[in-house]
Amino acid sequence: MAKILCVLYDDPADGYPTSYARDDLPTIDHYPGGQTTPTPKDIDFTPGQLLGSVSGELGLRTFLESQGHTLVVTSDKEGADSVLDRELPDADVVISQPFWPAYLTAERIAKAPNLKLAITAGIGSDHVDLDAAIGHGMTVAEVTFSNSISVAEHVVMMTLGLVRNYLPSHQVVLDGGWNIADCVARSYDLEGMQVGTVAAGRIGLAVLRRLAPFDVNLHYTDRHRLPESIERELNLTFHPDAADMVPHCDVVTINAPLHPETEGLFGDKLLGTMKRGAYLINTARAKIVDRDAVDRALRSGQLAGYAGDVWYPQPAPADHPWRTMPHHGMTPHISGSSLSAQARYAAGTREILESWFAGTPIRDEYLIVDGGRLAGAGAHSYSTTTPV
Ligand code: NDP
């Protein structure tokens, strides 16, 4: 029987919800491109419930305990005396969400001889040291596509929020004011702007599709070029790399995974080549940008705005400079954890566990590391320093 250690974010400050704002979720059975949404044999939760917090338990307890497994759920993940560190040495499976990541460093993995499977309930497994996971013979899997559209919607919201100066204008209302000039002195239309995405995978392409009706000019860079039919349909300009693309753009959105190729990509140098007053939206991973370089670029006016929901570390400390830098539209890491997304990634986590315990293959599109190498989606989108 296995021990499953599940690290989730805390319940709401006022306690686990007893009612919700809406009664149901739309039924979505496939993603753009045709991949089906998760297909577990069964689920023990009601879609629309809060599943990503400790009391939500990703809806897994009944399923796991009915099979004799042990489920430990905690939000306590930092420091040598954390529940994560205390429970890890005999854990077989670790489940974590990028919003509240259980950083599975090489040191932690080395202390967990039984650890065979790390599941990301969501997308983005950079909180797992993939080289160490490969060395340890682990499988790493994530629920590919489960929240890609959720993030794309957040990117569109943040793009409009920054360009139109929404949050400061909303603050004027909250403060009881009515100074129109205060609101509009930094407000523009998105129409006609040059908008580029670093990476046009599931999220990046969904962002491009959603922004196209705003009559903007769309740009992208990616390791693999999109089909010509999509480039034509969306009138896309392809650039061989970010350095070639960003000088042309009024808005840049980052939608690439964090891996050795993308870490630190947006430092002083690249930011300095952007148009003065460009906007940067990063819902991918914080370490793709240089924290202090972004702060400097906002203060100097090189960037007119920065928004996103990804920080390092997470949770971000109270004195993180991004909390107080000017012209930002940051949220905590929430874009991929809407109640809609939670229903999909909880079901996907269950699907992965069902396959794992039955000894049947995990869907190839969910795999990041398997069989001692990058596999499935991981082989397509990530890089490691481990030779494959
Ligand atoms: P995909 O795997 O569908 O897309 C990632 C894309 O990035 C791929 O097209 C890949 O290229 C491309 N890419 C990889 N390396 C580079 C590079 N060096 N330069 C340019 N492009 C590159 O993933 P998603 O779109 O679903 O998610 C992307 C990332 O967004 C995740 O890895 C995660 O970090 C983040 N994310 C954030 C969430 C949030 O809540 N804020 C939730 C979900 C995801 P190719 O495959 O062509 O090689």
Side-chain angles (χ1 to χ4, degrees):
M1 291 299 109
K3 173 173 167 182
I4 295 96
L5 178 53
C6 189
V7 180
L8 301 177
Y9 46 78
D10 287 312
D11 285 346
D14 293 338
Y16 192 73
T18 50
S19 66
Y20 290 89
R22 296 179 50 79
D23 297 328
D24 57 11
L25 298 179
T27 304
I28 293 169
D29 53 22
H30 68 275
Y31 304 111
Q35 181 186 317
T36 55
T37 51
T39 50
K41 292 196 171 61
D42 200 1
I43 53 170
D44 300 311
F45 58 84
T46 305
Q49 286 176 343
L50 180 62
L51 300 166
S53 75
V54 170
S55 296
E57 300 182 322
L58 294 175
L60 291 173
R61 187 169 294 279
T62 306
F63 160 64
L64 290 172
E65 291 186 345
S66 68
Q67 299 199 4
H69 302 303
T70 305
L71 175 66
V72 176
V73 182
T74 183
S75 64
D76 184 17
K77 69 186 184 74
E78 305 300 342
D81 198 36
S82 64
V83 175
L84 166 60
D85 280 272
R86 278 188 273 129
E87 297 285 350
L88 191 59
D90 62 346
D92 300 278
V93 178
V94 170
I95 303 171
S96 169
Q97 302 173 103
F99 324 104
W100 189 262
Y103 293 109
L104 285 183
T105 58
E107 296 72 37
R108 277 181 165 154
I109 289 173
K111 285 182 194 153
N114 299 346
L115 186 58
K116 282 281 173 281
L117 174 64
I119 302 177
T120 302
I123 303 172
S125 298
D126 48 275
H127 57 281
V128 181
D129 184 321
L130 297 183
D131 288 302
I134 288 171
H136 201 71
M138 287 169 61
T139 295
V140 180
E142 59 186 47
V143 191
T144 306
F145 233 141
S146 58
N147 55 16
S148 303
I149 302 304
S150 323
V151 178
E153 290 186 2
H154 210 77
V155 173
V156 172
M157 175 185 79
M158 289 186 147
T159 302
L160 289 166
L162 288 183
V163 173
R164 302 206 53 91
N165 206 34
Y166 169 50
L167 289 173
S169 306
H170 182 60
Q171 191 62 45
V172 167
V173 171
L174 297 179
D175 293 345
W178 194 263
N179 190 313
I180 304 295
D182 273 347
C183 301
V184 300
R186 293 185 69 89
S187 175
Y188 297 88
D189 291 351
L190 185 61
E191 184 184 21
M193 285 192 174
Q194 311 288 327
V195 181
T197 174
V198 177
R202 295 174 182 86
I203 297 173
L205 179 56
V207 169
L208 291 169
R209 285 197 185 288
R210 279 156 181 73
L211 287 179
F214 284 88
D215 290 333
V216 291
N217 303 289
L218 294 170
H219 302 250
Y220 81 102
T221 180
D222 197 292
R223 298 197 305 190
H224 300 90
R225 211 161 159 166
L226 289 165
E228 225 183 298
S229 56
I230 296 184
E231 287 194 352
R232 262 202 314 274
E233 176 200 335
L234 298 173
N235 195 21
L236 302 178
T237 303
F238 173 75
H239 299 265
D241 52 35
D244 190 77
M245 184 182 80
V246 303
H248 301 280
C249 294
D250 302 289
V251 178
V252 173
T253 150
I254 305 174
N255 298 296
L258 173 65
H259 60 125
E261 277 175 33
T262 55
E263 185 162 352
L265 181 63
F266 280 79
D268 287 313
K269 191 162 160 232
L270 192 60
L271 290 168
T273 68
M274 294 177 76
K275 289 173 77 169
R276 192 190 76 83
Y279 304 90
L280 184 58
I281 289 104
N282 177 15
T283 52
R285 284 296 178 262
K287 287 213 264 182
I288 297 174
V289 304
D290 175 328
R291 184 192 74 172
D292 297 330
V294 165
D295 186 18
R296 280 191 289 275
L298 286 168
R299 290 183 196 281
S300 72
Q302 175 61 12
L303 285 180
Y306 180 89
D309 68 331
V310 284
W311 307 67
Y312 187 81
Q314 290 186 179
D319 62 353
H320 193 295
W322 287 2
R323 292 185 188 270
T324 48
M325 63 190 179
H327 313 304
H328 81 80
M330 295 298 295
T331 60
H333 195 165
I334 58 163
S335 65
S337 196
S338 57
L339 294 174
S340 324
Q342 289 173 45
R344 288 188 294 271
Y345 67 67
T349 301
R350 167 127 177 201
E351 181 187 335
I352 291 168
L353 287 168
E354 285 177 357
S355 303
W356 180 260
F357 290 127
T360 54
I362 294 170
R363 279 201 217 193
D364 202 48
E365 61 256 36
Y366 291 165
L367 290 174
I368 302 299
V369 164
D370 195 41
R373 53 172 51 209
L374 290 175
H380 194 74
S381 296
Y382 285 79
S383 67
T384 65
T385 52
T386 304
V388 285

